[in-house]
Amino acid sequence: HNWRAPAGTVLVHKIAGAAAAAGASLAEVAAIARETSDSAGTVGVALEVCTIPGQEPSDRLAATEIELGLGIHGEPGTEVLPAQPVDGLVDRMVGMIQSWAGDGAQSPPLSITSGDSAALLVNNLGATPPMELYIVARRAIKTLTDRGVEVPRVYIGSFMTSLNMPGMSLTLLKLPADGAARETTLARLYSPTTAPGWVPAAPRVPAAPVQVPPSTAIGDGGTPPGPAISAAAAAGLRSAITAAAEAVVAAEDQLTEWDRVAGDGDAGITF
């Protein structure tokens, strides 16, 4: 189930490989691979077509356009769209995967709805900064959980890339409804591997904010912790800190120039 960006095969390889490493027969591994493939859907999007060695860069996309469903080798996608905020784009991509209707006997329908559980893979198509992948993952997780889909595993990184392509793909792997089968699939995803291309699952934050009880170190009217100083000393300390801060602000231009020479970007205007 893919729109030209088949990063789902990475999950097929991982699960089938874990089964093989655990001693499954060739027939069993083949069946597991087919079942995993039938449970996965992928769609990609990019700002530019990939670089093909020996050929001129493609001018298929304007600076304000993106392409949905294009291939990792530059194959045309399903639609060219105007550049747009990532949240709406991710929602659309998630919906495309959730409602994939299939294209015949070799690719049955894929329906991921409320009450289902799915692993999420956010794949770098080649030239996307990690921070942007996490922005995509943030929205995809929220969208899925808001739609009632549990997301117990999230993979974020460069799994299946193309040369110099700024873009990403989303993959959903629908997990078995049966509890034992689901745990087996998750265990195969989690199974350690020395394959250098495998990026372990990203840590998940709690679904709800953790409630931290208020500190009791300083109660109403209590004595604040730390050394006691007089009012005059406190005033002098405040004056010294304020003067130092004002001096740094006044010296911003000079500090920025020195920082350009040193080259480590943490003083002057940055500070």
CSV table of all heavy atoms in Angstrom, one decimal, residues 88-155:
chain,number,residue,atom,x,y,z
A,88,GLY,N,-2.0,20.4,8.4
A,88,GLY,CA,-3.0,20.0,7.5
A,88,GLY,C,-2.5,18.9,6.5
A,88,GLY,O,-3.3,18.0,6.1
A,89,LEU,N,-1.3,19.0,6.1
A,89,LEU,CA,-0.7,18.1,5.2
A,89,LEU,C,-0.6,16.7,5.8
A,89,LEU,O,-0.9,15.7,5.2
A,89,LEU,CB,0.7,18.6,4.7
A,89,LEU,CG,1.4,17.7,3.7
A,89,LEU,CD1,0.6,17.6,2.4
A,89,LEU,CD2,2.8,18.3,3.4
A,90,VAL,N,-0.1,16.7,7.0
A,90,VAL,CA,0.0,15.4,7.7
A,90,VAL,C,-1.4,14.8,7.9
A,90,VAL,O,-1.5,13.5,7.8
A,90,VAL,CB,0.7,15.6,9.1
A,90,VAL,CG1,0.6,14.4,10.0
A,90,VAL,CG2,2.2,15.9,8.9
A,91,ASP,N,-2.3,15.6,8.3
A,91,ASP,CA,-3.7,15.0,8.5
A,91,ASP,C,-4.2,14.4,7.2
A,91,ASP,O,-4.8,13.3,7.2
A,91,ASP,CB,-4.7,16.1,8.9
A,91,ASP,CG,-4.4,16.6,10.3
A,91,ASP,OD1,-3.6,16.0,11.0
A,91,ASP,OD2,-5.1,17.6,10.7
A,92,ARG,N,-3.9,15.0,6.1
A,92,ARG,CA,-4.4,14.5,4.8
A,92,ARG,C,-3.6,13.2,4.5
A,92,ARG,O,-4.3,12.2,4.1
A,92,ARG,CB,-4.1,15.5,3.7
A,92,ARG,CG,-4.4,15.0,2.3
A,92,ARG,CD,-4.3,16.1,1.3
A,92,ARG,NE,-4.7,15.6,-0.1
A,92,ARG,CZ,-4.9,16.3,-1.1
A,92,ARG,NH1,-4.8,17.7,-1.0
A,92,ARG,NH2,-5.1,15.8,-2.3
A,93,MET,N,-2.3,13.1,4.8
A,93,MET,CA,-1.6,11.9,4.5
A,93,MET,C,-2.0,10.7,5.4
A,93,MET,O,-2.1,9.6,4.9
A,93,MET,CB,-0.1,12.2,4.7
A,93,MET,CG,0.5,13.2,3.7
A,93,MET,SD,2.1,13.8,4.1
A,93,MET,CE,3.1,12.3,3.8
A,94,VAL,N,-2.2,11.0,6.7
A,94,VAL,CA,-2.7,10.0,7.6
A,94,VAL,C,-4.1,9.5,7.1
A,94,VAL,O,-4.3,8.2,7.1
A,94,VAL,CB,-2.8,10.6,9.0
A,94,VAL,CG1,-3.6,9.6,9.9
A,94,VAL,CG2,-1.5,10.8,9.6
A,95,GLY,N,-5.0,10.4,6.7
A,95,GLY,CA,-6.3,9.9,6.2
A,95,GLY,C,-6.2,9.1,4.9
A,95,GLY,O,-6.9,8.1,4.8
A,96,MET,N,-5.2,9.4,4.0
A,96,MET,CA,-5.0,8.6,2.8
A,96,MET,C,-4.6,7.2,3.2
A,96,MET,O,-5.1,6.2,2.6
A,96,MET,CB,-3.9,9.2,2.0
A,96,MET,CG,-4.3,10.5,1.3
A,96,MET,SD,-3.0,11.4,0.5
A,96,MET,CE,-2.7,10.2,-0.9
A,97,ILE,N,-3.8,7.0,4.2
A,97,ILE,CA,-3.3,5.7,4.6
A,97,ILE,C,-4.5,4.9,5.3
A,97,ILE,O,-4.7,3.8,5.0
A,97,ILE,CB,-2.1,5.7,5.5
A,97,ILE,CG1,-0.9,6.4,4.8
A,97,ILE,CG2,-1.7,4.3,5.9
A,97,ILE,CD1,0.2,6.7,5.6
A,98,GLN,N,-5.2,5.6,6.2
A,98,GLN,CA,-6.2,5.0,7.0
A,98,GLN,C,-7.3,4.4,6.1
A,98,GLN,O,-7.9,3.4,6.4
A,98,GLN,CB,-6.9,6.0,7.9
A,98,GLN,CG,-6.0,6.3,9.1
A,98,GLN,CD,-6.8,7.2,10.1
A,98,GLN,OE1,-6.8,8.4,9.9
A,98,GLN,NE2,-7.4,6.6,11.1
A,99,SER,N,-7.6,5.1,5.0
A,99,SER,CA,-8.7,4.7,4.1
A,99,SER,C,-8.3,4.1,2.8
A,99,SER,O,-9.1,4.0,1.9
A,99,SER,CB,-9.6,6.0,3.8
A,99,SER,OG,-8.8,6.9,3.1
A,100,TRP,N,-7.1,3.6,2.8
A,100,TRP,CA,-6.6,3.0,1.5
A,100,TRP,C,-7.5,1.8,1.1
A,100,TRP,O,-7.8,0.9,1.9
A,100,TRP,CB,-5.2,2.5,1.7
A,100,TRP,CG,-4.6,1.6,0.7
A,100,TRP,CD1,-4.2,0.3,0.8
A,100,TRP,CD2,-4.3,2.0,-0.7
A,100,TRP,NE1,-3.7,-0.2,-0.4
A,100,TRP,CE2,-3.8,0.8,-1.3
A,100,TRP,CE3,-4.5,3.1,-1.4
A,100,TRP,CZ2,-3.5,0.8,-2.7
A,100,TRP,CZ3,-4.2,3.1,-2.8
A,100,TRP,CH2,-3.6,2.0,-3.4
A,101,ALA,N,-8.0,1.9,-0.1
A,101,ALA,CA,-9.0,1.0,-0.6
A,101,ALA,C,-8.4,-0.3,-1.3
A,101,ALA,O,-9.1,-1.2,-1.7
A,101,ALA,CB,-10.0,1.7,-1.5
A,102,GLY,N,-7.1,-0.3,-1.5
A,102,GLY,CA,-6.5,-1.4,-2.2
A,102,GLY,C,-6.6,-1.2,-3.7
A,102,GLY,O,-7.3,-0.4,-4.2
A,103,ASP,N,-5.8,-2.1,-4.4
A,103,ASP,CA,-5.9,-2.0,-5.8
A,103,ASP,C,-5.9,-3.4,-6.5
A,103,ASP,O,-5.3,-3.6,-7.5
A,103,ASP,CB,-4.7,-1.2,-6.4
A,103,ASP,CG,-3.3,-1.8,-5.9
A,103,ASP,OD1,-3.3,-2.9,-5.3
A,103,ASP,OD2,-2.3,-1.2,-6.1
A,104,GLY,N,-6.6,-4.3,-5.8
A,104,GLY,CA,-6.7,-5.6,-6.4
A,104,GLY,C,-6.3,-6.7,-5.4
A,104,GLY,O,-6.0,-6.4,-4.2
A,105,ALA,N,-6.2,-7.9,-5.9
A,105,ALA,CA,-6.0,-9.1,-5.0
A,105,ALA,C,-4.6,-9.0,-4.3
A,105,ALA,O,-4.4,-9.5,-3.2
A,105,ALA,CB,-6.1,-10.4,-5.8
A,106,GLN,N,-3.6,-8.4,-5.0
A,106,GLN,CA,-2.3,-8.3,-4.5
A,106,GLN,C,-2.1,-7.2,-3.5
A,106,GLN,O,-1.1,-7.1,-2.8
A,106,GLN,CB,-1.3,-8.1,-5.6
A,106,GLN,CG,-1.1,-9.3,-6.5
A,106,GLN,CD,0.0,-9.2,-7.5
A,106,GLN,OE1,0.3,-8.1,-8.0
A,106,GLN,NE2,0.6,-10.3,-8.0
A,107,SER,N,-3.1,-6.3,-3.4
A,107,SER,CA,-3.0,-5.2,-2.4
A,107,SER,C,-4.4,-5.0,-1.8
A,107,SER,O,-5.1,-4.1,-2.3
A,107,SER,CB,-2.5,-4.0,-3.1
A,107,SER,OG,-2.2,-3.0,-2.2
A,108,PRO,N,-4.7,-5.8,-0.8
A,108,PRO,CA,-6.1,-5.6,-0.2
A,108,PRO,C,-6.3,-4.3,0.5
A,108,PRO,O,-5.3,-3.6,0.8
A,108,PRO,CB,-6.2,-6.8,0.7
A,108,PRO,CG,-4.7,-7.1,1.1
A,108,PRO,CD,-3.9,-6.8,-0.1
A,109,PRO,N,-7.5,-4.0,0.8
A,109,PRO,CA,-7.8,-2.7,1.5
A,109,PRO,C,-7.1,-2.6,2.8
A,109,PRO,O,-6.9,-3.6,3.5
A,109,PRO,CB,-9.3,-2.7,1.6
A,109,PRO,CG,-9.8,-3.6,0.6
A,109,PRO,CD,-8.8,-4.7,0.4
A,110,LEU,N,-6.8,-1.4,3.3
A,110,LEU,CA,-6.3,-1.2,4.6
A,110,LEU,C,-7.1,-0.2,5.3
A,110,LEU,O,-7.3,1.0,4.9
A,110,LEU,CB,-4.8,-0.6,4.5
A,110,LEU,CG,-4.1,-0.3,5.8
A,110,LEU,CD1,-3.9,-1.6,6.6
A,110,LEU,CD2,-2.8,0.4,5.5
A,111,SER,N,-7.8,-0.6,6.4
A,111,SER,CA,-8.6,0.3,7.2
A,111,SER,C,-8.1,0.4,8.6
A,111,SER,O,-8.0,-0.6,9.3
A,111,SER,CB,-10.1,-0.3,7.2
A,111,SER,OG,-10.9,0.5,8.0
A,112,ILE,N,-7.7,1.6,9.0
A,112,ILE,CA,-7.3,1.8,10.4
A,112,ILE,C,-8.2,2.8,11.0
A,112,ILE,O,-8.2,4.0,10.6
A,112,ILE,CB,-5.8,2.3,10.4
A,112,ILE,CG1,-4.9,1.3,9.7
A,112,ILE,CG2,-5.3,2.6,11.8
A,112,ILE,CD1,-3.5,1.8,9.5
A,113,THR,N,-9.0,2.3,11.9
A,113,THR,CA,-10.1,3.2,12.5
A,113,THR,C,-10.0,3.2,14.0
A,113,THR,O,-9.1,2.6,14.6
A,113,THR,CB,-11.5,2.7,12.1
A,113,THR,OG1,-11.6,1.3,12.5
A,113,THR,CG2,-11.6,2.7,10.6
A,114,SER,N,-10.9,3.9,14.6
A,114,SER,CA,-10.9,4.0,16.1
A,114,SER,C,-11.0,2.6,16.7
A,114,SER,O,-11.7,1.8,16.3
A,114,SER,CB,-12.2,4.8,16.5
A,114,SER,OG,-12.2,5.0,17.9
A,115,GLY,N,-10.1,2.5,17.7
A,115,GLY,CA,-10.0,1.2,18.4
A,115,GLY,C,-8.9,0.3,17.9
A,115,GLY,O,-8.5,-0.6,18.6
A,116,ASP,N,-8.3,0.7,16.7
A,116,ASP,CA,-7.2,0.0,16.2
A,116,ASP,C,-5.9,0.5,16.8
A,116,ASP,O,-5.8,1.5,17.5
A,116,ASP,CB,-7.1,0.1,14.7
A,116,ASP,CG,-8.2,-0.6,14.0
A,116,ASP,OD1,-8.7,-1.6,14.5
A,116,ASP,OD2,-8.6,-0.2,12.8
A,117,SER,N,-4.8,-0.3,16.6
A,117,SER,CA,-3.5,0.0,17.1
A,117,SER,C,-2.5,0.0,15.9
A,117,SER,O,-2.6,-0.9,15.1
A,117,SER,CB,-3.1,-0.9,18.2
A,117,SER,OG,-1.8,-0.6,18.7
A,118,ALA,N,-1.6,1.0,15.8
A,118,ALA,CA,-0.7,1.0,14.7
A,118,ALA,C,0.6,1.6,15.1
A,118,ALA,O,0.7,2.5,15.9
A,118,ALA,CB,-1.3,1.9,13.5
A,119,ALA,N,1.7,1.0,14.5
A,119,ALA,CA,3.0,1.6,14.6
A,119,ALA,C,3.2,2.7,13.5
A,119,ALA,O,2.7,2.6,12.4
A,119,ALA,CB,4.1,0.5,14.4
A,120,LEU,N,3.9,3.7,13.9
A,120,LEU,CA,4.1,4.9,13.0
A,120,LEU,C,5.6,5.0,12.7
A,120,LEU,O,6.4,4.9,13.5
A,120,LEU,CB,3.6,6.2,13.7
A,120,LEU,CG,4.0,7.5,13.0
A,120,LEU,CD1,3.3,7.6,11.7
A,120,LEU,CD2,3.7,8.7,13.9
A,121,LEU,N,5.9,5.2,11.4
A,121,LEU,CA,7.2,5.4,10.9
A,121,LEU,C,7.2,6.7,10.2
A,121,LEU,O,6.5,6.9,9.2
A,121,LEU,CB,7.7,4.3,10.1
A,121,LEU,CG,9.2,4.3,9.6
A,121,LEU,CD1,9.8,2.9,9.4
A,121,LEU,CD2,9.4,5.1,8.3
A,122,VAL,N,8.1,7.7,10.6
A,122,VAL,CA,8.3,9.0,9.9
A,122,VAL,C,9.7,8.9,9.3
A,122,VAL,O,10.7,8.9,10.0
A,122,VAL,CB,8.2,10.2,10.9
A,122,VAL,CG1,8.3,11.5,10.2
A,122,VAL,CG2,6.8,10.1,11.6
A,123,ASN,N,9.7,8.8,8.0
A,123,ASN,CA,10.9,8.6,7.3
A,123,ASN,C,11.4,9.8,6.6
A,123,ASN,O,10.7,10.5,5.9
A,123,ASN,CB,10.7,7.5,6.3
A,123,ASN,CG,11.9,7.2,5.4
A,123,ASN,OD1,13.0,6.9,5.9
A,123,ASN,ND2,11.7,7.3,4.1
A,124,ASN,N,12.7,10.1,6.7
A,124,ASN,CA,13.4,11.2,6.0
A,124,ASN,C,13.7,10.7,4.6
A,124,ASN,O,14.4,9.7,4.4
A,124,ASN,CB,14.7,11.5,6.7
A,124,ASN,CG,15.5,12.6,6.1
A,124,ASN,OD1,15.0,13.3,5.1
A,124,ASN,ND2,16.7,12.8,6.5
A,125,LEU,N,13.2,11.4,3.6
A,125,LEU,CA,13.4,11.0,2.2
A,125,LEU,C,14.8,11.5,1.7
A,125,LEU,O,15.1,11.2,0.6
A,125,LEU,CB,12.3,11.6,1.3
A,125,LEU,CG,11.0,10.9,1.4
A,125,LEU,CD1,9.9,11.5,0.5
A,125,LEU,CD2,11.1,9.4,1.0
A,126,GLY,N,15.6,12.1,2.6
A,126,GLY,CA,17.0,12.4,2.2
A,126,GLY,C,17.6,13.7,2.6
A,126,GLY,O,18.8,13.7,2.9
A,127,ALA,N,16.8,14.7,2.7
A,127,ALA,CA,17.4,16.0,3.0
A,127,ALA,C,16.5,16.8,3.9
A,127,ALA,O,16.3,18.1,3.7
A,127,ALA,CB,17.7,16.8,1.7
A,128,THR,N,15.9,16.2,4.9
A,128,THR,CA,15.0,16.9,5.8
A,128,THR,C,15.6,16.9,7.2
A,128,THR,O,16.0,15.8,7.7
A,128,THR,CB,13.6,16.1,5.9
A,128,THR,OG1,13.1,16.1,4.6
A,128,THR,CG2,12.7,16.9,6.8
A,129,PRO,N,15.7,18.0,7.9
A,129,PRO,CA,16.3,18.1,9.2
A,129,PRO,C,15.6,17.2,10.2
A,129,PRO,O,14.3,17.2,10.1
A,129,PRO,CB,16.3,19.6,9.5
A,129,PRO,CG,16.1,20.3,8.2
A,129,PRO,CD,15.3,19.4,7.4
A,130,PRO,N,16.2,16.6,11.1
A,130,PRO,CA,15.6,15.8,12.2
A,130,PRO,C,14.5,16.6,12.9
A,130,PRO,O,13.4,16.0,13.2
A,130,PRO,CB,16.7,15.4,13.1
A,130,PRO,CG,17.9,15.4,12.3
A,130,PRO,CD,17.7,16.5,11.3
A,131,MET,N,14.7,17.9,13.2
A,131,MET,CA,13.7,18.6,13.9
A,131,MET,C,12.4,18.6,13.2
A,131,MET,O,11.3,18.5,13.8
A,131,MET,CB,14.2,20.1,14.2
A,131,MET,CG,13.2,20.9,14.9
A,131,MET,SD,13.8,22.6,15.3
A,131,MET,CE,13.8,23.3,13.7
A,132,GLU,N,12.4,18.7,11.8
A,132,GLU,CA,11.2,18.8,11.0
A,132,GLU,C,10.5,17.4,11.1
A,132,GLU,O,9.2,17.4,11.0
A,132,GLU,CB,11.5,19.2,9.6
A,132,GLU,CG,12.0,20.7,9.6
A,132,GLU,CD,12.2,21.2,8.1
A,132,GLU,OE1,11.7,20.5,7.2
A,132,GLU,OE2,12.8,22.3,8.0
A,133,LEU,N,11.2,16.3,11.1
A,133,LEU,CA,10.6,15.0,11.2
A,133,LEU,C,9.9,14.9,12.5
A,133,LEU,O,8.8,14.3,12.6
A,133,LEU,CB,11.7,13.9,11.2
A,133,LEU,CG,12.5,13.8,9.9
A,133,LEU,CD1,13.6,12.7,10.0
A,133,LEU,CD2,11.6,13.6,8.7
A,134,TYR,N,10.4,15.5,13.6
A,134,TYR,CA,9.7,15.4,14.9
A,134,TYR,C,8.5,16.3,14.9
A,134,TYR,O,7.5,16.0,15.6
A,134,TYR,CB,10.7,15.8,16.0
A,134,TYR,CG,11.5,14.6,16.5
A,134,TYR,CD1,12.7,14.2,15.8
A,134,TYR,CD2,11.1,13.8,17.6
A,134,TYR,CE1,13.4,13.2,16.2
A,134,TYR,CE2,11.8,12.7,18.0
A,134,TYR,CZ,13.0,12.4,17.3
A,134,TYR,OH,13.7,11.3,17.7
A,135,ILE,N,8.5,17.4,14.2
A,135,ILE,CA,7.3,18.2,14.0
A,135,ILE,C,6.2,17.4,13.3
A,135,ILE,O,5.0,17.4,13.7
A,135,ILE,CB,7.6,19.5,13.2
A,135,ILE,CG1,8.5,20.4,14.1
A,135,ILE,CG2,6.4,20.2,12.9
A,135,ILE,CD1,9.1,21.6,13.3
A,136,VAL,N,6.6,16.7,12.3
A,136,VAL,CA,5.6,15.8,11.6
A,136,VAL,C,5.1,14.7,12.5
A,136,VAL,O,3.9,14.5,12.6
A,136,VAL,CB,6.3,15.2,10.3
A,136,VAL,CG1,5.5,14.0,9.8
A,136,VAL,CG2,6.6,16.2,9.3
A,137,ALA,N,6.0,14.1,13.2
A,137,ALA,CA,5.6,13.0,14.2
A,137,ALA,C,4.7,13.5,15.2
A,137,ALA,O,3.7,12.8,15.6
A,137,ALA,CB,6.8,12.4,14.8
A,138,ARG,N,4.9,14.7,15.7
A,138,ARG,CA,4.1,15.3,16.7
A,138,ARG,C,2.6,15.4,16.2
A,138,ARG,O,1.7,15.0,16.9
A,138,ARG,CB,4.6,16.7,17.1
A,138,ARG,CG,3.6,17.5,17.9
A,138,ARG,CD,3.9,19.0,17.8
A,138,ARG,NE,3.9,19.5,16.4
A,138,ARG,CZ,2.8,19.8,15.7
A,138,ARG,NH1,1.6,19.8,16.3
A,138,ARG,NH2,2.9,20.2,14.5
A,139,ARG,N,2.5,15.8,15.0
A,139,ARG,CA,1.1,16.0,14.5
A,139,ARG,C,0.5,14.6,14.1
A,139,ARG,O,-0.7,14.4,14.4
A,139,ARG,CB,1.1,16.9,13.2
A,139,ARG,CG,-0.2,17.1,12.6
A,139,ARG,CD,-1.1,17.9,13.6
A,139,ARG,NE,-2.5,18.1,13.0
A,139,ARG,CZ,-3.4,18.9,13.5
A,139,ARG,NH1,-3.1,19.6,14.6
A,139,ARG,NH2,-4.5,19.0,13.0
A,140,ALA,N,1.3,13.7,13.6
A,140,ALA,CA,0.7,12.4,13.2
A,140,ALA,C,0.2,11.7,14.4
A,140,ALA,O,-0.8,11.1,14.4
A,140,ALA,CB,1.8,11.6,12.5
A,141,ILE,N,1.0,11.7,15.5
A,141,ILE,CA,0.6,11.1,16.8
A,141,ILE,C,-0.7,11.7,17.3
A,141,ILE,O,-1.6,10.9,17.7
A,141,ILE,CB,1.7,11.1,17.8
A,141,ILE,CG1,2.9,10.3,17.4
A,141,ILE,CG2,1.2,10.6,19.2
A,141,ILE,CD1,4.2,10.6,18.2
A,142,LYS,N,-0.8,13.0,17.3
A,142,LYS,CA,-2.0,13.7,17.8
A,142,LYS,C,-3.2,13.3,17.0
A,142,LYS,O,-4.3,13.0,17.5
A,142,LYS,CB,-1.8,15.2,17.8
A,142,LYS,CG,-3.0,15.9,18.4
A,142,LYS,CD,-2.7,17.4,18.4
A,142,LYS,CE,-3.8,18.2,19.1
A,142,LYS,NZ,-5.2,17.9,18.6
A,143,THR,N,-3.0,13.4,15.6
A,143,THR,CA,-4.1,13.1,14.7
A,143,THR,C,-4.6,11.7,14.9
A,143,THR,O,-5.8,11.4,15.0
A,143,THR,CB,-3.7,13.3,13.3
A,143,THR,OG1,-3.4,14.7,13.1
A,143,THR,CG2,-4.8,12.9,12.3
A,144,LEU,N,-3.7,10.7,15.0
A,144,LEU,CA,-4.1,9.3,15.2
A,144,LEU,C,-4.8,9.1,16.5
A,144,LEU,O,-5.9,8.4,16.6
A,144,LEU,CB,-2.9,8.4,15.0
A,144,LEU,CG,-2.4,8.3,13.6
A,144,LEU,CD1,-1.0,7.7,13.6
A,144,LEU,CD2,-3.3,7.4,12.8
A,145,THR,N,-4.2,9.6,17.6
A,145,THR,CA,-4.8,9.4,18.9
A,145,THR,C,-6.2,10.1,19.0
A,145,THR,O,-7.1,9.6,19.7
A,145,THR,CB,-3.9,9.8,20.0
A,145,THR,OG1,-3.4,11.2,19.8
A,145,THR,CG2,-2.6,9.0,20.1
A,146,ASP,N,-6.3,11.3,18.4
A,146,ASP,CA,-7.6,12.0,18.4
A,146,ASP,C,-8.6,11.2,17.7
A,146,ASP,O,-9.8,11.3,18.0
A,146,ASP,CB,-7.4,13.4,17.8
A,146,ASP,CG,-6.7,14.4,18.7
A,146,ASP,OD1,-6.5,14.1,19.9
A,146,ASP,OD2,-6.4,15.5,18.2
A,147,ARG,N,-8.2,10.4,16.7
A,147,ARG,CA,-9.1,9.6,16.0
A,147,ARG,C,-9.3,8.2,16.6
A,147,ARG,O,-9.9,7.3,16.0
A,147,ARG,CB,-8.6,9.4,14.5
A,147,ARG,CG,-8.6,10.7,13.7
A,147,ARG,CD,-8.0,10.5,12.3
A,147,ARG,NE,-8.0,11.8,11.6
A,147,ARG,CZ,-7.5,12.0,10.4
A,147,ARG,NH1,-7.0,11.0,9.8
A,147,ARG,NH2,-7.5,13.2,9.8
A,148,GLY,N,-8.8,8.0,17.8
A,148,GLY,CA,-9.0,6.8,18.5
A,148,GLY,C,-8.1,5.6,18.2
A,148,GLY,O,-8.3,4.5,18.6
A,149,VAL,N,-7.0,6.0,17.5
A,149,VAL,CA,-6.0,4.9,17.1
A,149,VAL,C,-4.8,5.0,18.1
A,149,VAL,O,-4.2,6.0,18.3
A,149,VAL,CB,-5.5,5.1,15.7
A,149,VAL,CG1,-4.4,4.1,15.3
A,149,VAL,CG2,-6.6,5.1,14.7
A,150,GLU,N,-4.5,3.9,18.7
A,150,GLU,CA,-3.4,3.8,19.6
A,150,GLU,C,-2.1,3.7,18.8
A,150,GLU,O,-2.0,3.0,17.8
A,150,GLU,CB,-3.5,2.6,20.5
A,150,GLU,CG,-2.4,2.4,21.6
A,150,GLU,CD,-2.4,1.1,22.3
A,150,GLU,OE1,-3.1,0.2,21.8
A,150,GLU,OE2,-1.7,1.0,23.3
A,151,VAL,N,-1.0,4.4,19.3
A,151,VAL,CA,0.2,4.4,18.6
A,151,VAL,C,1.3,3.9,19.6
A,151,VAL,O,2.0,4.8,20.2
A,151,VAL,CB,0.6,5.8,18.0
A,151,VAL,CG1,1.8,5.7,17.1
A,151,VAL,CG2,-0.6,6.3,17.2
A,152,PRO,N,1.5,2.6,19.8
A,152,PRO,CA,2.5,2.2,20.8
A,152,PRO,C,4.0,2.2,20.3
A,152,PRO,O,4.8,2.1,21.2
A,152,PRO,CB,2.1,0.7,21.0
A,152,PRO,CG,1.5,0.3,19.7
A,152,PRO,CD,0.8,1.5,19.1
A,153,ARG,N,4.2,2.4,19.0
A,153,ARG,CA,5.6,2.5,18.6
A,153,ARG,C,5.7,3.6,17.6
A,153,ARG,O,4.9,3.7,16.6
A,153,ARG,CB,6.1,1.2,17.9
A,153,ARG,CG,6.3,0.0,18.8
A,153,ARG,CD,7.6,0.1,19.6
A,153,ARG,NE,7.9,-1.1,20.3
A,153,ARG,CZ,7.4,-1.5,21.5
A,153,ARG,NH1,6.5,-0.7,22.1
A,153,ARG,NH2,7.7,-2.6,22.0
A,154,VAL,N,6.8,4.4,17.7
A,154,VAL,CA,7.0,5.5,16.7
A,154,VAL,C,8.5,5.4,16.3
A,154,VAL,O,9.4,5.4,17.2
A,154,VAL,CB,6.7,6.9,17.4
A,154,VAL,CG1,7.0,8.0,16.4
A,154,VAL,CG2,5.3,6.9,17.8
A,155,TYR,N,8.7,5.4,15.0
A,155,TYR,CA,10.1,5.3,14.5
A,155,TYR,C,10.3,6.6,13.7
A,155,TYR,O,9.5,6.9,12.8
A,155,TYR,CB,10.3,4.1,13.6
A,155,TYR,CG,10.1,2.8,14.4
A,155,TYR,CD1,8.9,2.2,14.5
A,155,TYR,CD2,11.2,2.3,15.1
A,155,TYR,CE1,8.7,1.1,15.3
A,155,TYR,CE2,11.0,1.1,15.9
A,155,TYR,CZ,9.8,0.5,16.0
A,155,TYR,OH,9.7,-0.6,16.7
